[in-house]
Amino acid sequence: MGEREFAGIFFPIYDRKITAGEIRFKEIGLPLNDFTMMCTTRGHQPADSVIRHLCDSMKLDEEERKLFLSFLRDE
């Protein structure tokens, strides 16, 4: 099995919440550059501070929050 990537966790949750109308891109505080890099550059992940912010702004449940926080690099 390959190494986990943040984008592989982020996008299914993001897509589900966008489709359900729970969140909007401009409200979650993800820099456009990070969004673009996750789409185009394998292995890219936002800074720890951005990941922590997404946990709240994307209204993650406890399981989703744990998944996101598992990617922190303690910058």
Side-chain angles (χ1 to χ4, degrees):
M1 182 160 77
E3 187 175 325
R4 295 181 320 150
E5 294 188 15
F6 184 74
I9 300 298
F10 171 82
F11 281 113
I13 295 170
Y14 172 82
D15 290 344
R16 178 176 46 81
K17 289 181 173 282
I18 286 285
T19 301
E22 294 176 39
I23 61 172
R24 295 189 310 176
F25 180 79
K26 69 179 186 175
E27 296 172 342
I28 65 171
L30 177 63
L32 183 56
N33 183 58
D34 279 322
F35 186 86
T36 301
M37 293 292 287
M38 285 193 301
C39 292
T40 61
T41 305
R42 185 175 187 92
H44 178 80
Q45 75 179 52
D48 286 0
S49 60
V50 174
I51 293 173
R52 284 187 186 97
H53 177 76
L54 290 173
C55 288
D56 294 325
S57 65
M58 288 181 64
K59 305 171 188 167
L60 300 181
D61 65 28
E62 192 61 33
E63 183 178 323
E64 293 165 338
R65 181 179 295 270
K66 285 180 184 176
L67 284 171
F68 273 42
L69 294 177
S70 73
F71 284 91
L72 295 181
R73 298 172 287 210
D74 296 316
E75 297 174 341

